[in-house]
Amino acid sequence: MSYEVDKDGFYGDFGGAFVPELLYPNVKELEDNYIQILESDEFQDEYKSLLKDYVGRPSPLYLAKRLSAKYGGTIYLKREDLNHTGAHKVNNTVGQILLAQKLGKKRIIAETGAGQHGVATATVCALMDLECIVYMGEVDIERQAPNVARMKMLGAEVRPAKSGSKTLKDATNEAIRDWINNPDDTYYLIGSVVGPHPYPDLVARLQAVISEEMKKQLKEKTGNENPDKIIACVGGGSNAAGAFYHYMDNDDVELIAVEAAGLGVDTDKTAATTTLGTAGIIHGSKTLLMQDEYGQITEPHSISAGLDYPGIGPMHAHLFKTGRGTFLNATDREALMAAQELTLLEGIIPALESSHALAALKKIEIKENDTIVINLSGRGDKDLETYRKYLKY
Amino acid sequence: MNKLQELFKNKKEDILSIYFTAGYPELNTSGDIIKNLEKSGVDFIEVGMPFSDPMADGPTIQETSEVALKNGMNLDVYFNELKAITGEVDIPLIAMGYVNQMIRFGTDKFLTLCKESGISGLILPDLPLNVYEKDFRAKFEEYNMVNVFLITPQTSEDRIKEIDEASNAFIYMVSSASTTGSKSNIADSQLEYFQRMKDMELNNPLVIGFGISNNDTYTKACKYASGAIIGSAFVKAIKNGVTEKVVSDFINMVKG
């Protein structure tokens, strides 16, 4: 069984590039060039140097002793929250901005949910002196105000997406429309392993540094590069893709993806795609998504703007369908409790997205000698308002 | 040969097509819109299937889709509205929407109902050529359903030839790099592109759409192509209700 993308851009039944002819040349240009550029020495040198000195990689693999004592096993946190800009998103934007430069693009567009990808994009655009336009749902602009301010301070223009549910899905539609209207000079910097081929593969490759480091760090700390379980949250699924990437062919490692259940999978306020979704096409990719019987895409709900997405990346749909990945979900409330718990036990305030991964500790069986890595994808600064509101500070 | 193919066999110029979104401005208006358009001399009609995430559409069509969905439009209602008038309409109808709608509804069920509803062609902008060839062509042909492809100023000559090869009624020529309804005039640079396409002497006739809104743009388009398609400008015109007069005034304005 292969978990890699095939030559047509599919992961098993999922993936492909279902784009209007208007976008065909743009997507084709990227498809024809990305591997060659990514694998070139010049790109690798620049990318690695920026990850080290600008992003602050490698991110630590931290042994969470008190968390381990509570749940059993040996629990490590992969500290993506310590990256510059506060989340794993920057691994991808650093790579894609170099790619955009090499393709000669002058204008960068992006979509964002929680604002982390928007901030990470605005950051690299400031660094490279490129024009930056970020599409963000009106609802998200409201609930992620600090990140909106950061993007603006970084020189980006934040354009509200006012259609549909006014969240990540709609911001993505707007970004795609912008790309249709500006095909020549514009690079669409997608933030997750979603969208038409080659984006899911491109973003997974750029996030793969997470599991590449994990292997080395685990080897140093435990003598074994393989953990028993890796846990990561999944909205579109980029941090999970990065955390799973180098372990996908290794069946000894259980890959646990945690989706946002919102108010619960038995309600209509949820974003648990693999539980409730069916096969279909969203944002140019065939994957699992939440939709009604007529193919209308359902408006999702999660307290976490970064997981508030009605689909998942095609790679994850494939991991789900083949049984290679274990898919769990956590409710808004469970995520909030997990955030509070990690903060008190380890002195780390996690992002709401990452808190969904932490919440899975209560849902899995842990043996005493298990080694578990939780991908702590981001820090909680941006979520303080939500924490204040729900945890009453 | 189906109705759409017949139309293009018999008529080579000044073909006028109108797009509207089913369920907008209200449910149960598709029949009246279609009959009035036919009476006004329109050659074929695209009946939009409103979609939650219409990525190739600009704000005007997006808004009509949102309203139509809120009104309760769905594919069952859509086909029922069309079936109610099958005996009264002669001109070809095209169903226009997004590929997810067809797949989720069930491709066979969808094509069966299209046929029963008098639809002879499909425009699914996000159905790419390679997927069509591999997964859908045989099925569409089984139902005698024409698939219409789009080309744009960015489409390469080689690709246009491939699309011409795969087309069997007409090619939808997008007038500029844009979503629907973004532009309301035609610039000189577009005329160069129109000329270039005309000079390619393709097997299939070209019909120009996106940015056609009035007599001026319609006339310009017809100089270079077999006809033109109007969408956003028409749905704006029926915003406050569909009457015979509203429809015929609009068509008369376009035809000049």
Side-chain angles (χ1 to χ4, degrees), chain A residues 8 10 17-26 162-164 166 169-170 173-174 176-178 180-184 278-284 286 289 291-298, chain B residues 50-58 62 66 69 73-76 99-101 103-105 125-131 134 150-152 154-155 159 163 174 176-179 182-183 210:
Chain A
D8 296 323
F10 279 83
F18 292 81
V19 293
E21 193 59 33
L22 301 138
L23 285 180
Y24 179 82
N26 308 36
K162 297 177 177 178
S163 59
K166 304 178 178 63
K169 139 181 120 72
D170 312 286
N173 289 333
E174 285 308 323
I176 290 172
R177 290 182 188 120
D178 182 309
I180 288 174
N181 283 289
N182 300 283
D184 292 327
T278 45
I281 290 155
I282 182 170
H283 298 139
K286 188 171 179 198
L289 62 128
Q291 56 182 333
D292 72 10
E293 61 190 299
Y294 299 107
Q296 306 294 344
I297 297 170
T298 314
Chain B
F51 183 50
S52 56
D53 293 76
M55 66 172 161
D57 287 304
Q62 279 177 53
E66 228 171 297
L69 290 172
M73 179 49 68
N74 61 42
L75 283 180
D76 284 322
V99 68
N100 193 53
Q101 296 173 282
I103 293 175
R104 175 65 177 152
F105 195 66
D126 60 340
L127 176 60
L129 178 60
N130 61 338
V131 177
K134 191 165 147 274
L150 278 62
I151 60 170
T152 84
Q154 272 70 32
T155 312
R159 181 132 176 116
I163 286 170
V174 177
S176 68
S178 70
T179 44
S182 312
K183 299 187 177 148
F210 290 41

Side-chain angles (χ1 to χ4, degrees), chain A residues 124-183:
Chain A
V124 294
C125 287
L127 181 70
M128 302 298 180
D129 191 21
L130 289 167
E131 185 187 354
C132 180
I133 292 148
V134 179
Y135 289 91
M136 187 169 186
E138 233 174 19
V139 169
D140 292 336
I141 288 179
E142 184 112 343
R143 61 179 164 175
Q144 303 288 343
N147 272 345
V148 176
R150 289 163 84 194
M151 286 185 269
K152 288 182 177 169
M153 188 166 172
L154 286 159
E157 183 191 339
V158 180
R159 289 190 190 166
K162 297 177 177 178
S163 59
S165 54
K166 304 178 178 63
T167 59
L168 179 55
K169 139 181 120 72
D170 312 286
T172 308
N173 289 333
E174 285 308 323
I176 290 172
R177 290 182 188 120
D178 182 309
W179 207 22
I180 288 174
N181 283 289
N182 300 283

Side-chain angles (χ1 to χ4, degrees), chain B residues 106-240:
Chain B
T107 303
D108 278 294
K109 186 177 158 198
F110 178 83
L111 292 170
T112 304
L113 285 169
C114 279
K115 219 173 163 181
E116 291 172 8
S117 310
I119 289 166
S120 44
L122 298 174
I123 304 177
L124 304 165
D126 60 340
L127 176 60
L129 178 60
N130 61 338
V131 177
Y132 167 73
E133 294 279 7
K134 191 165 147 274
D135 298 335
F136 293 98
R137 183 177 194 144
K139 184 128 282 189
F140 283 19
E141 282 172 0
E142 189 187 319
Y143 287 88
N144 198 19
M145 200 60 61
V146 161
N147 188 55
V148 178
F149 291 97
L150 278 62
I151 60 170
T152 84
Q154 272 70 32
T155 312
S156 71
E157 203 158 294
D158 286 347
R159 181 132 176 116
I160 290 169
K161 285 177 185 157
E162 277 179 61
I163 286 170
D164 191 30
E165 202 62 42
S167 299
N168 49 10
F170 73 96
I171 294 174
Y172 192 136
M173 183 172 155
V174 177
S175 71
S176 68
S178 70
T179 44
T180 54
S182 312
K183 299 187 177 148
S184 55
N185 57 354
I186 291 177
D188 288 349
S189 57
Q190 285 169 274
L191 295 180
E192 279 168 39
Y193 154 64
F194 293 176
Q195 186 64 49
R196 179 160 58 85
M197 290 303 105
K198 191 180 178 185
D199 293 344
M200 277 187 80
E201 296 181 349
L202 299 170
N203 298 322
N204 287 275
L206 296 164
V207 181
I208 299 179
F210 290 41
I212 312 299
S213 59
N214 52 26
N215 180 254
D216 177 51
T217 45
Y218 169 69
T219 314
K220 271 186 187 154
C222 288
K223 263 189 211 156
Y224 296 88
S226 301
I229 299 169
I230 300 178
S232 298
F234 178 72
V235 299
K236 272 184 200 161
I238 58 168
K239 188 178 177 182
N240 296 319

Side-chain angles (χ1 to χ4, degrees), chain A residues 61 74 76 214-227 247 371:
Chain A
L61 187 72
T74 307
Y76 289 94
M214 225 189 260
K215 276 190 155 181
K216 263 189 228 146
Q217 291 165 323
L218 279 170
K219 179 91 179 162
E220 277 168 29
K221 286 176 199 288
T222 69
N224 181 354
E225 64 177 24
N226 299 331
Y247 292 104
T371 300

Side-chain angles (χ1 to χ4, degrees), chain A residues 320-338:
Chain A
F320 173 75
K321 195 173 176 196
T322 56
R324 175 66 189 93
T326 304
F327 282 73
L328 306 175
N329 56 70
T331 62
D332 291 353
R333 191 184 150 72
E334 288 167 335
L336 286 164
M337 292 302 114

